[in-house]
Coordinates of all heavy atoms in Angstrom, one line a residue:
M27 N 21.2 18.5 -4.9 CA 20.0 17.8 -4.8 C 19.0 18.6 -3.9 O 19.3 19.1 -2.9 CB 20.3 16.4 -4.1 CG 19.0 15.6 -3.9 SD 19.4 14.1 -2.9 CE 17.8 13.6 -2.4
M28 N 17.8 18.7 -4.5 CA 16.7 19.4 -3.8 C 16.1 18.5 -2.7 O 15.9 17.3 -2.9 CB 15.6 19.8 -4.7 CG 16.1 20.9 -5.7 SD 14.7 21.3 -6.8 CE 13.6 22.2 -5.7
T29 N 15.9 19.1 -1.6 CA 15.2 18.4 -0.4 C 14.1 19.2 0.1 O 13.9 20.4 -0.2 CB 16.2 18.2 0.7 OG1 16.7 19.4 1.1 CG2 17.3 17.3 0.2
L30 N 13.2 18.6 0.9 CA 12.1 19.3 1.4 C 12.6 20.1 2.6 O 13.2 19.5 3.5 CB 11.0 18.3 1.9 CG 10.4 17.4 0.7 CD1 9.5 16.3 1.3 CD2 9.7 18.3 -0.2
A31 N 12.3 21.4 2.6 CA 12.9 22.3 3.6 C 12.3 22.0 5.0 O 11.1 22.1 5.2 CB 12.6 23.7 3.2
R32 N 13.1 21.6 5.9 CA 12.7 21.3 7.3 C 11.9 22.4 7.9 O 11.0 22.2 8.7 CB 13.9 20.9 8.2 CG 14.6 19.6 7.7 CD 15.6 19.2 8.8 NE 15.0 18.9 10.0 CZ 14.6 17.7 10.3 NH1 14.7 16.7 9.4 NH2 14.0 17.4 11.5
E33 N 12.3 23.6 7.6 CA 11.7 24.8 8.3 C 10.2 24.9 7.9 O 9.5 25.7 8.5 CB 12.5 26.1 8.1 CG 12.5 26.5 6.6 CD 13.9 26.0 6.0 OE1 14.4 24.9 6.4 OE2 14.3 26.7 5.0
L34 N 9.8 24.2 6.9 CA 8.4 24.3 6.5 C 7.6 23.1 7.0 O 6.4 23.1 6.8 CB 8.3 24.3 4.9 CG 8.9 25.4 4.2 CD1 8.6 25.4 2.7 CD2 8.4 26.7 4.8
F35 N 8.2 22.2 7.8 CA 7.4 21.1 8.3 C 6.3 21.5 9.2 O 5.2 20.9 9.2 CB 8.3 20.1 9.0 CG 9.3 19.3 8.2 CD1 10.1 18.4 8.7 CD2 9.2 19.5 6.8 CE1 11.0 17.7 7.9 CE2 10.1 18.8 5.9 CZ 10.9 17.9 6.5
D36 N 6.4 22.6 9.9 CA 5.4 23.1 10.8 C 4.6 24.3 10.2 O 3.8 24.9 10.8 CB 6.0 23.6 12.1 CG 5.0 23.7 13.2 OD1 4.1 22.8 13.3 OD2 5.0 24.6 14.0
A37 N 4.8 24.6 8.9 CA 4.1 25.7 8.2 C 2.9 25.1 7.5 O 2.8 23.9 7.1 CB 5.0 26.3 7.2
D38 N 1.9 26.0 7.3 CA 0.7 25.6 6.6 C 1.0 25.9 5.1 O 1.2 27.0 4.7 CB -0.5 26.5 7.0 CG -1.0 26.2 8.4 OD1 -1.0 25.0 8.8 OD2 -1.3 27.1 9.2
L39 N 1.0 24.8 4.3 CA 1.2 24.9 2.9 C -0.1 24.7 2.1 O -0.9 23.8 2.5 CB 2.3 23.8 2.5 CG 3.5 23.8 3.3 CD1 4.5 22.8 2.7 CD2 4.2 25.1 3.4
S40 N -0.2 25.4 1.1 CA -1.5 25.3 0.3 C -1.2 24.7 -1.1 O -0.1 24.9 -1.6 CB -2.2 26.6 0.2 OG -1.3 27.6 -0.5
F41 N -2.1 24.0 -1.6 CA -2.1 23.5 -3.0 C -3.5 23.2 -3.4 O -4.4 23.5 -2.7 CB -1.2 22.2 -3.0 CG -1.7 21.0 -2.2 CD1 -2.4 20.0 -2.8 CD2 -1.4 21.0 -0.8 CE1 -2.8 18.9 -2.0 CE2 -1.8 19.9 -0.1 CZ -2.5 18.9 -0.6
H42 N -3.6 22.8 -4.6 CA -5.0 22.6 -5.2 C -5.1 21.2 -5.7 O -4.2 20.6 -6.2 CB -5.2 23.6 -6.4 CG -5.3 25.0 -5.9 ND1 -4.2 25.8 -5.8 CD2 -6.4 25.8 -5.6 CE1 -4.6 27.0 -5.4 NE2 -5.9 27.0 -5.3
C43 N -6.3 20.7 -5.5 CA -6.7 19.3 -5.9 C -6.5 19.4 -7.5 O -7.1 20.2 -8.1 CB -8.1 19.0 -5.5 SG -8.7 17.5 -6.4
P44 N -5.8 18.5 -8.1 CA -5.6 18.5 -9.5 C -6.9 18.2 -10.3 O -7.1 18.6 -11.4 CB -4.6 17.3 -9.8 CG -4.0 17.1 -8.5 CD -4.9 17.4 -7.5
A45 N -7.8 17.5 -9.6 CA -9.1 17.1 -10.2 C -10.1 18.2 -10.2 O -10.8 18.5 -11.2 CB -9.7 15.9 -9.6
C46 N -10.3 18.9 -9.1 CA -11.4 19.9 -9.0 C -10.9 21.3 -8.6 O -11.7 22.2 -8.5 CB -12.4 19.4 -8.0 SG -11.9 19.6 -6.2
E47 N -9.6 21.5 -8.4 CA -9.0 22.8 -8.1 C -9.4 23.3 -6.7 O -9.2 24.5 -6.4 CB -9.3 23.8 -9.1 CG -8.8 23.5 -10.5 CD -7.3 23.5 -10.6 OE1 -6.7 24.3 -9.9 OE2 -6.8 22.7 -11.3
N48 N -10.0 22.4 -5.9 CA -10.3 22.8 -4.5 C -9.0 23.2 -3.8 O -8.0 22.4 -3.8 CB -11.0 21.7 -3.8 CG -11.5 22.1 -2.4 OD1 -12.2 23.1 -2.3 ND2 -11.2 21.2 -1.4
A49 N -9.0 24.3 -3.1 CA -7.8 24.7 -2.3 C -7.7 23.9 -1.0 O -8.7 23.6 -0.3 CB -8.0 26.2 -1.9
V50 N -6.5 23.4 -0.8 CA -6.2 22.6 0.4 C -5.0 23.1 1.2 O -4.1 23.7 0.6 CB -5.8 21.2 -0.1 CG1 -5.5 20.2 1.0 CG2 -6.8 20.6 -1.1
V51 N -5.1 23.0 2.5 CA -4.0 23.5 3.4 C -3.6 22.3 4.2 O -4.5 21.7 4.9 CB -4.4 24.7 4.2 CG1 -3.2 25.1 5.1 CG2 -4.8 25.9 3.3
R52 N -2.4 22.0 4.2 CA -1.8 20.9 5.1 C -0.5 21.4 5.7 O 0.2 22.2 5.1 CB -1.6 19.6 4.3 CG -2.9 18.9 3.9 CD -3.6 18.3 5.0 NE -4.7 17.4 4.6 CZ -5.9 17.9 4.2 NH1 -6.2 19.1 4.3 NH2 -6.8 17.0 3.8
K53 N -0.1 20.8 6.8 CA 1.2 21.1 7.4 C 2.3 20.5 6.5 O 2.1 19.4 5.9 CB 1.3 20.4 8.8 CG 0.5 21.1 9.9 CD 1.0 22.5 10.2 CE 0.3 23.1 11.4 NZ 0.5 24.6 11.5
G54 N 3.4 21.1 6.5 CA 4.5 20.6 5.7 C 4.9 19.1 6.1 O 5.2 18.3 5.3
S55 N 4.8 18.9 7.4 CA 5.1 17.5 7.9 C 4.1 16.5 7.4 O 4.5 15.3 7.1 CB 5.2 17.5 9.4 OG 3.9 18.0 9.9
W56 N 2.9 16.9 7.2 CA 1.9 16.0 6.7 C 2.2 15.7 5.2 O 2.1 14.5 4.8 CB 0.5 16.6 6.8 CG -0.6 15.7 6.3 CD1 -1.4 14.8 7.1 CD2 -1.1 15.5 4.9 NE1 -2.2 14.1 6.3 CE2 -2.1 14.5 5.0 CE3 -0.8 16.1 3.8 CZ2 -2.8 14.1 3.9 CZ3 -1.4 15.7 2.6 CH2 -2.4 14.7 2.7
I57 N 2.5 16.7 4.5 CA 2.8 16.5 3.0 C 4.1 15.6 2.9 O 4.1 14.7 2.1 CB 3.1 17.9 2.4 CG1 1.7 18.6 2.3 CG2 3.6 17.7 0.9 CD1 1.8 20.1 1.9
K58 N 5.0 15.9 3.7 CA 6.3 15.1 3.7 C 6.1 13.6 3.9 O 6.6 12.7 3.2 CB 7.3 15.6 4.7 CG 8.5 14.7 4.9 CD 9.3 15.1 6.1 CE 10.4 14.1 6.4 NZ 9.9 12.9 7.1
S59 N 5.2 13.3 4.8 CA 5.1 11.9 5.2 C 3.9 11.2 4.6 O 3.8 9.9 4.7 CB 4.9 11.8 6.8 OG 3.7 12.5 7.2
S60 N 3.0 11.9 3.8 CA 1.9 11.2 3.2 C 2.2 10.7 1.8 O 3.0 11.3 1.1 CB 0.7 12.2 3.2 OG 0.3 12.5 4.6
K61 N 1.5 9.6 1.5 CA 1.7 9.1 0.1 C 0.5 9.4 -0.8 O 0.7 9.5 -2.0 CB 1.8 7.6 0.2 CG 3.1 7.1 0.9 CD 3.2 5.6 0.8 CE 4.6 5.1 1.2 NZ 4.9 5.4 2.6
V62 N -0.6 9.7 -0.2 CA -1.8 9.9 -1.1 C -2.6 11.1 -0.4 O -2.7 11.1 0.8 CB -2.7 8.7 -1.2 CG1 -4.0 9.0 -1.9 CG2 -2.0 7.6 -1.8
F63 N -3.1 12.0 -1.3 CA -4.1 13.0 -0.8 C -5.5 12.6 -1.4 O -5.6 12.4 -2.5 CB -3.6 14.3 -1.4 CG -4.7 15.4 -1.4 CD1 -5.2 15.9 -0.2 CD2 -5.2 15.8 -2.6 CE1 -6.2 16.8 -0.2 CE2 -6.3 16.7 -2.6 CZ -6.8 17.2 -1.5
I64 N -6.4 12.6 -0.4 CA -7.8 12.4 -0.9 C -8.6 13.6 -0.7 O -8.7 14.2 0.4 CB -8.4 11.2 0.0 CG1 -7.6 9.9 -0.2 CG2 -9.9 11.0 -0.5 CD1 -8.1 8.8 0.7
C65 N -9.1 14.2 -1.8 CA -9.8 15.5 -1.8 C -11.1 15.4 -1.0 O -11.9 14.4 -1.2 CB -10.0 15.9 -3.2 SG -10.9 17.5 -3.3
E66 N -11.3 16.3 -0.1 CA -12.6 16.4 0.6 C -13.8 16.8 -0.2 O -14.9 16.6 0.1 CB -12.4 17.3 1.9 CG -11.5 16.7 2.9 CD -10.7 17.8 3.7 OE1 -11.1 19.0 3.5 OE2 -9.7 17.5 4.3
A67 N -13.5 17.5 -1.3 CA -14.5 18.0 -2.1 C -15.0 17.0 -3.2 O -16.2 16.9 -3.4 CB -14.1 19.3 -2.8
C68 N -14.1 16.4 -3.8 CA -14.4 15.5 -5.0 C -14.0 14.1 -4.8 O -14.3 13.2 -5.6 CB -13.9 16.0 -6.3 SG -12.1 15.8 -6.5
S69 N -13.3 13.7 -3.7 CA -12.9 12.4 -3.3 C -11.8 11.8 -4.3 O -11.5 10.7 -4.2 CB -14.1 11.4 -3.3 OG -15.0 11.8 -2.3
A70 N -11.3 12.6 -5.1 CA -10.2 12.2 -6.0 C -8.9 11.9 -5.2 O -8.7 12.5 -4.2 CB -9.9 13.2 -7.0
Q71 N -8.3 10.8 -5.6 CA -7.0 10.4 -4.9 C -5.8 10.9 -5.8 O -5.7 10.6 -6.9 CB -7.0 8.9 -4.7 CG -8.1 8.5 -3.7 CD -7.9 7.0 -3.3 OE1 -6.8 6.4 -3.5 NE2 -8.9 6.4 -2.8
T72 N -5.0 11.7 -5.1 CA -3.8 12.1 -5.8 C -2.5 11.6 -5.1 O -2.4 11.7 -3.9 CB -3.7 13.7 -5.8 OG1 -4.8 14.2 -6.4 CG2 -2.4 14.2 -6.5
R73 N -1.7 10.9 -5.9 CA -0.4 10.4 -5.4 C 0.5 11.5 -5.1 O 0.8 12.3 -6.0 CB 0.2 9.4 -6.4 CG 0.8 8.2 -5.7 CD 1.3 7.2 -6.7 NE 2.7 6.9 -6.4 CZ 3.7 7.0 -7.3 NH1 3.4 7.4 -8.5 NH2 4.9 6.8 -7.0
L74 N 1.0 11.6 -3.9 CA 2.0 12.6 -3.6 C 3.4 12.1 -3.9 O 4.1 11.6 -3.0 CB 1.8 13.0 -2.1 CG 0.5 13.7 -1.7 CD1 0.3 13.8 -0.2 CD2 0.4 15.1 -2.3
T75 N 3.8 12.4 -5.1 CA 5.1 12.0 -5.5 C 6.1 13.0 -4.9 O 5.8 14.1 -4.5 CB 5.3 12.0 -7.0 OG1 5.0 13.3 -7.5 CG2 4.3 11.1 -7.7
Y76 N 7.4 12.6 -4.9 CA 8.4 13.4 -4.3 C 8.5 14.7 -5.2 O 8.7 15.8 -4.6 CB 9.8 12.8 -4.3 CG 10.8 13.5 -3.4 CD1 10.6 13.5 -2.0 CD2 11.8 14.2 -4.0 CE1 11.5 14.2 -1.3 CE2 12.7 14.8 -3.2 CZ 12.5 14.9 -1.8 OH 13.5 15.6 -1.0
R77 N 8.3 14.6 -6.5 CA 8.3 15.8 -7.4 C 7.2 16.7 -7.0 O 7.4 17.9 -7.0 CB 8.2 15.3 -8.8 CG 8.1 16.4 -9.8 CD 7.8 15.9 -11.2 NE 8.9 15.1 -11.7 CZ 9.9 15.6 -12.5 NH1 9.8 16.9 -12.9 NH2 10.8 14.9 -13.0
L78 N 6.0 16.2 -6.7 CA 4.9 17.0 -6.4 C 5.1 17.7 -5.0 O 4.8 18.9 -4.8 CB 3.6 16.2 -6.4 CG 2.3 16.9 -6.0 CD1 2.1 18.2 -6.8 CD2 1.1 16.0 -6.1
K79 N 5.6 16.9 -4.1 CA 6.0 17.5 -2.8 C 6.9 18.7 -2.9 O 6.7 19.8 -2.3 CB 6.5 16.5 -1.8 CG 5.5 15.4 -1.5 CD 6.2 14.3 -0.7 CE 5.1 13.2 -0.4 NZ 5.6 12.2 0.6
L80 N 8.0 18.5 -3.7 CA 8.9 19.6 -3.9 C 8.2 20.8 -4.5 O 8.5 21.9 -4.2 CB 10.0 19.1 -4.9 CG 11.1 18.3 -4.3 CD1 12.0 17.8 -5.4 CD2 11.9 19.1 -3.2
A81 N 7.3 20.6 -5.5 CA 6.6 21.7 -6.1 C 5.8 22.5 -5.1 O 5.7 23.7 -5.1 CB 5.7 21.2 -7.2
I82 N 5.1 21.7 -4.2 CA 4.3 22.4 -3.2 C 5.1 23.2 -2.2 O 4.8 24.4 -1.9 CB 3.5 21.4 -2.3 CG1 2.4 20.7 -3.3 CG2 2.8 22.0 -1.2 CD1 1.8 19.4 -2.7
F83 N 6.3 22.6 -1.8 CA 7.2 23.4 -0.9 C 7.8 24.6 -1.6 O 7.9 25.7 -1.1 CB 8.3 22.5 -0.4 CG 8.0 21.7 0.8 CD1 6.9 20.8 0.8 CD2 8.8 21.7 1.9 CE1 6.6 20.0 2.0 CE2 8.5 21.0 3.1 CZ 7.5 20.1 3.1
D84 N 8.1 24.4 -2.9 CA 8.8 25.5 -3.6 C 7.7 26.6 -3.9 O 8.1 27.8 -3.8 CB 9.2 24.9 -5.0 CG 10.1 25.9 -5.7 OD1 11.1 26.4 -5.2 OD2 9.7 26.3 -6.9
A85 N 6.5 26.3 -4.1 CA 5.5 27.3 -4.3 C 5.3 28.2 -3.1 O 5.1 29.4 -3.1 CB 4.2 26.7 -4.7
H86 N 5.4 27.5 -1.9 CA 5.3 28.2 -0.7 C 6.5 29.2 -0.5 O 6.3 30.3 -0.1 CB 5.2 27.2 0.5 CG 5.0 27.9 1.8 ND1 3.8 28.2 2.3 CD2 5.9 28.3 2.8 CE1 3.9 28.8 3.5 NE2 5.1 28.9 3.9
L87 N 7.7 28.7 -0.8 CA 8.8 29.6 -0.6 C 8.8 30.7 -1.6 O 9.4 31.8 -1.3 CB 10.1 28.7 -0.9 CG 10.4 27.6 0.2 CD1 11.5 26.7 -0.2 CD2 10.7 28.3 1.5
R88 N 8.2 30.6 -2.7 CA 8.2 31.6 -3.8 C 7.0 32.6 -3.6 O 6.9 33.5 -4.4 CB 8.2 31.0 -5.1 CG 9.4 30.3 -5.5 CD 9.3 29.5 -6.8 NE 10.4 28.7 -7.1 CZ 11.4 29.2 -7.9 NH1 11.4 30.4 -8.4 NH2 12.5 28.4 -8.1
R89 N 6.0 32.3 -2.7 CA 4.8 33.1 -2.7 C 5.2 34.5 -2.2 O 6.2 34.7 -1.6 CB 3.8 32.5 -1.7 CG 4.2 32.8 -0.3 CD 3.4 31.8 0.7 NE 3.6 32.2 2.0 CZ 4.7 32.2 2.8 NH1 5.8 31.8 2.2 NH2 4.7 32.5 4.0
Q90 N 4.4 35.4 -2.7 CA 4.5 36.8 -2.3 C 4.1 37.0 -0.8 O 3.1 36.5 -0.5 CB 3.7 37.8 -3.2 CG 4.1 37.7 -4.7 CD 5.6 38.0 -4.9 OE1 6.1 39.0 -4.3 NE2 6.3 37.2 -5.7
P91 N 4.8 37.8 -0.1 CA 4.5 38.0 1.3 C 3.2 38.9 1.4 O 2.8 39.5 0.5 CB 5.7 38.8 1.9 CG 6.4 39.3 0.7 CD 6.1 38.5 -0.4
Ligands
ZN16 ZN1 -10.9 17.6 -5.6

């Protein structure tokens, strides 16, 4: 079973607003505990499902150094 990596809770994780593609950076702990992301650029509300959280964490782990 995949889980959210604890070592990323204090890391800056980046993702994009699905509505406007605005780049967003949040702490892993914020992503873990939040249910909704409200975009500062377009005000769209995105539900932070567990699947989406895993995708954000996974993208961070796979990024090129
Ligand atoms: Zn947006």
Side-chain angles (χ1 to χ4, degrees):
M27 176 184 164
M28 291 181 69
T29 57
L30 299 172
R32 296 187 62 87
E33 61 264 33
L34 294 186
F35 288 179
D36 199 40
D38 290 320
L39 307 186
S40 61
F41 58 101
H42 292 85
C43 169
C46 75
E47 298 295 324
N48 187 49
V50 182
V51 177
R52 291 285 188 279
K53 290 291 185 193
S55 57
W56 184 92
I57 293 169
K58 172 189 169 283
S59 60
S60 297
K61 292 185 168 64
V62 175
F63 159 70
I64 301 175
C65 180
E66 290 148 13
C68 75
S69 298
Q71 295 190 18
T72 300
R73 219 176 126 236
L74 293 170
T75 61
Y76 195 69
R77 177 186 291 265
L78 179 55
K79 294 176 183 188
L80 281 173
I82 294 169
F83 273 58
D84 191 55
H86 183 83
L87 292 172
R88 291 168 185 271
R89 79 198 188 293
Q90 298 301 315

